[in-house]
Amino acid sequence: MSDRPPVNASPLTSILWQAQQELLPPRQFYRLCQQVRQQSGQTRLYFYTPDSASIDLNNGIGVPEIRRFLDHLAGYVGGTVQEGDRTTFYLKRVRLRLKHKTKRIILIKKEGEYCPSPLFTQAMKIEVEMAGAGMIGRVARLRINEKDFAFKAFFDPDFVWQHGPWAEIPIGIRLKYCQVTKDVPEFLFSGLDWAVWEWIYPHTHPQSRKQGITYQQFAQTEGLTKLNPLNRNNYNPHNIRLDPGGIQKAYWGRRFQDFFRSLLFYARKVRREGWKSLTPYLKPEKLRYLGVRLVSLILTGGSPRWVSSIMNWQTVLTKKSNVKHRELS
């Protein structure tokens, strides 16, 4: 890719170029996207183009169709509570003639739904499995054309902070452009309230990833924050980071700003959804993690040696909790 966007490039191309050249802060990325939406009148913006592994031209599912389906899927994933739920969707683009006009539409059928139409004798199959949930979004594993993808749906897209679409999409664009793929997943493509990443399998080892550099190498040269090793749910067994959200420039007072922004987020969430909205964050494992994280930040300063010892302590607590749970059950 050239150092400058083409002269006649669209405003979205300009945003993509800026996000590749530097890690755009969430507020700047949000502002640029809002300007494009106002100037162009587009309600949807998309970054990068899905490759051939994500489409099925035999059933009429090209790039526009898969994007529209993922817009629909973001609402489904964001509203699904039960982790581990599995659903299969069947997609097919058909032509319908209505009032002397021919219109192409996408038919979407969920597995188990009755459909008398013979159109679904052959269709594109997309398997969806709920993988986990965080503060701002929910992750599902998509299997498309026998390939797995990590699909993140952001269910609080208006919140402009270090987590959520306005932070994680430019993070993904920047890391992809700089080939930071050794120990983090590769960003693939996105809309403004969902993003598709490479799916990292449990057996994936950094040494098996021939190309790219590690995030640690990149962060040292760019002055970025270190990845948090305490939240073990964000890593596979070989310490490949599963969720690169929260990356930002390291500067003095950043932790205080993050703390107050977190309080603001929870206050808005309670005011909008009520106190029950905090229930997922009050589970024992969540509270245990928050306690260990607080000790690490206040007493140790996040030094590698202390973080390692605290991780071991956290692992022991988790194992004891699991043993007690098995005894009770």
Side-chain angles (χ1 to χ4, degrees), residues 207-220:
Q207 295 178 359
S208 66
R209 297 164 76 82
K210 307 278 183 196
Q211 300 178 346
I213 62 175
T214 66
Y215 175 75
Q216 183 178 3
Q217 293 173 304
F218 184 69
Q220 288 176 345

Side-chain angles (χ1 to χ4, degrees), residues 32-88:
L32 292 172
C33 290
Q34 294 304 97
Q35 289 174 356
V36 170
R37 295 169 83 174
Q38 292 171 2
Q39 294 170 2
S40 65
Q42 300 179 41
T43 57
R44 307 292 311 176
L45 299 180
Y46 302 98
F47 292 92
Y48 287 124
T49 302
D51 62 15
S52 58
S54 311
I55 60 178
D56 185 353
L57 297 179
N58 291 331
N59 288 297
I61 307 300
V63 170
E65 290 76 20
I66 198 67
R67 282 172 169 169
R68 287 201 295 271
F69 170 73
L70 294 179
D71 289 341
H72 166 79
L73 186 64
Y76 172 81
V77 171
T80 302
V81 177
Q82 188 64 38
E83 188 174 321
D85 279 0
R86 297 185 180 186
T87 308
T88 301

Side-chain angles (χ1 to χ4, degrees), residues 107-120:
L107 293 181
I108 302 175
K109 175 181 176 292
K110 258 172 88 171
E111 189 173 51
E113 290 181 342
Y114 174 70
C115 183
S117 172
L119 295 173
F120 281 100

Side-chain angles (χ1 to χ4, degrees), residues 129-162:
E129 180 182 0
M130 304 307 300
M135 185 172 68
I136 300 294
R138 186 167 282 115
V139 180
R141 178 178 63 86
L142 304 188
R143 173 157 290 185
I144 306 175
N145 297 330
E146 302 304 319
K147 183 176 180 181
D148 291 332
F149 301 89
F151 177 81
K152 175 175 280 190
F154 303 102
F155 45 73
D156 203 341
D158 295 328
F159 185 68
V160 184
W161 191 45
Q162 291 307 135

